[in-house]
């Protein structure tokens, strides 16, 4: 199975992609994670991406298209995967289709996780993560046991620069400006499915599996 997850920042794409990796064996490919790692390691890619990411803007299409094309042109390319956070613009969708066609691995389904903007602001502004082990918390919904320290490894939790409210609003603005082109692209191909992204991650995951299996959303 080859999937792409679309949705606003904080809609739970990463969580669902992780569940798909654990339970369905799909390789999780997140452009956000790849870019954050490049920024952390101060590679040339990271230096290009940093200013865009800190302001909540998109990294230029050529840069992210290059990352994905490299990943799929490698010999060890995954056959079954879930893309998280890519494509986000129509030119990205076109570039993705062309590289996946080239390697004979076209997408099966594209799933839009729908979550209202106000819920996104609530979710993201409270999000904290552990820079050491990657655990994710939410203040006040899923706080760590000791204030702002990771339950697993005791490291001080951090807030992503792009999870501050001004950056979140900017990310949502950019998302709404570019999404229609991507939706149109996949709607024309008959690959687009829409899923309600509100609720507990496990319940959403159950609906996601059902949706992928049937091509029809379950009623809530
Ligand atoms: P994410 O973790 O998916 O929300 O991505 C974090 C940030 O990385 C975004 O706000 C963008 O600055 C950048 N980014 C990730 N994926 C893309 C993409 N497909 N196109 C452009 N920028 C991206």
């Amino acid at each position: 199975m080859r999937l792409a997850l679309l949705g606003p920042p904080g809609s739970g794409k990463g969580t669902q992609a992780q569940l798909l990796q654990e339970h369905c064996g799909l390789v999780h490919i997140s452009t956000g994670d790849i870019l954050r790692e490049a920024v952390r390691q101060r590679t040339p890619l990271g230096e290009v991406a940093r200013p865009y990411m800190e302001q909540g803007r998109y990294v230029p299409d050529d840069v992210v298209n290059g990352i994905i094309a490299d990943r799929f042109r490698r010999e060890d390319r995954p056959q079954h995967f879930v893309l998280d956070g890519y494509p986000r613009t129509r030119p990205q969708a076109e570039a993705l289709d062309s590289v996946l066609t080239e390697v004979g691995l076209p997408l099966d389904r594209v799933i839009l996780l729908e979550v209202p903007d106000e819920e996104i602001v609530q979710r993201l502004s409270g999000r904290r993560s552990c820079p050491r082990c990657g655990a994710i918390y939410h203040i006040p919904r899923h706080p760590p046991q000791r204030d702002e320290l990771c339950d697993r490894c005791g490291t001080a939790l951090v807030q992503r620069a792009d999870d501050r409210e001004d950056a979140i609003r900017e990310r949502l603005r950019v998302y709404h400006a570019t999404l229609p082109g991507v939706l149109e692209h996949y709607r024309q191909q008959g690959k687009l499915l829409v899923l309600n992204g509100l609720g507990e991650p496990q319940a959403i995951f159950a609906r996601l599996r059902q949706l992928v299996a049937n091509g029809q959303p379950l009623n809530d």
Side-chain angles (χ1 to χ4, degrees):
M1 178 68 62
R2 294 182 285 275
L3 304 177
L5 293 182
L6 312 178
S11 54
K13 299 186 296 293
T15 305
Q16 295 302 319
Q18 212 47 50
L19 289 167
L20 284 162
Q21 174 159 285
E22 280 164 32
H23 296 275
C24 309
L26 305 190
V27 175
H28 175 193
I29 301 175
S30 154
T31 42
D33 286 351
I34 294 170
L35 290 165
R36 270 186 293 281
E37 183 60 17
V39 168
R40 204 176 62 76
Q41 295 198 1
R42 298 182 177 274
T43 65
L45 168 66
E47 294 307 306
V48 171
R50 181 195 305 274
Y52 294 98
M53 295 178 75
E54 284 181 351
Q55 291 164 33
R57 289 156 57 214
Y58 284 173
V59 174
D61 286 341
D62 303 356
V63 176
V64 275
N65 289 342
I67 296 172
I68 292 294
D70 287 351
R71 183 73 187 87
F72 282 105
R73 289 196 178 117
R74 269 171 28 199
E75 290 279 300
D76 66 345
R77 71 183 73 89
Q79 305 286 309
H80 301 279
F81 55 84
V82 50
L83 290 166
D84 153 20
Y86 182 90
R88 274 166 142 122
T89 65
R90 190 168 194 140
Q92 290 182 17
E94 287 164 359
L96 174 65
D97 280 4
S98 113
V99 73
L100 292 182
T101 303
E102 178 189 315
V103 297
L105 298 171
L107 287 177
D108 296 308
R109 295 287 190 193
V110 174
I111 296 152
L112 171 66
L113 265 177
E114 278 193 324
V115 179
D117 283 5
E118 281 320 305
E119 169 68 14
I120 294 297
V121 174
Q122 293 281 323
R123 284 188 190 181
L124 291 187
S125 54
R127 183 159 76 175
R128 300 289 182 277
S129 60
C130 173
R132 182 136 175 249
C133 74
I136 302 208
Y137 299 87
H138 191 276
I139 297 168
R141 295 182 187 173
H142 169 51
Q145 284 173 358
R146 284 177 299 147
D147 36 49
E148 309 249 344
L149 295 179
C150 180
D151 290 345
R152 284 199 220 153
C153 67
T155 307
L157 302 180
V158 294
Q159 181 177 40
R160 276 168 49 173
D162 59 354
D163 280 348
R164 290 193 300 262
E165 186 158 345
D166 52 342
I168 297 169
R169 298 267 175 207
E170 177 61 12
R171 289 164 75 194
L172 282 169
R173 188 191 66 72
V174 175
Y175 170 75
H176 288 298
T178 58
L179 181 72
V182 182
L183 294 185
E184 187 48 32
H185 181 84
Y186 289 114
R187 198 176 282 128
Q188 278 169 5
Q189 296 183 6
K191 292 184 178 174
L192 184 68
L193 299 170
V194 179
L195 181 65
N196 175 359
L198 288 176
E200 289 300 314
Q202 288 295 346
I204 298 170
F205 185 55
R207 297 201 299 262
L208 171 61
R209 290 181 86 163
Q210 195 78 29
L211 179 66
V212 171
N214 299 340
Q216 287 292 327
L218 267 185
N219 290 330
D220 281 331

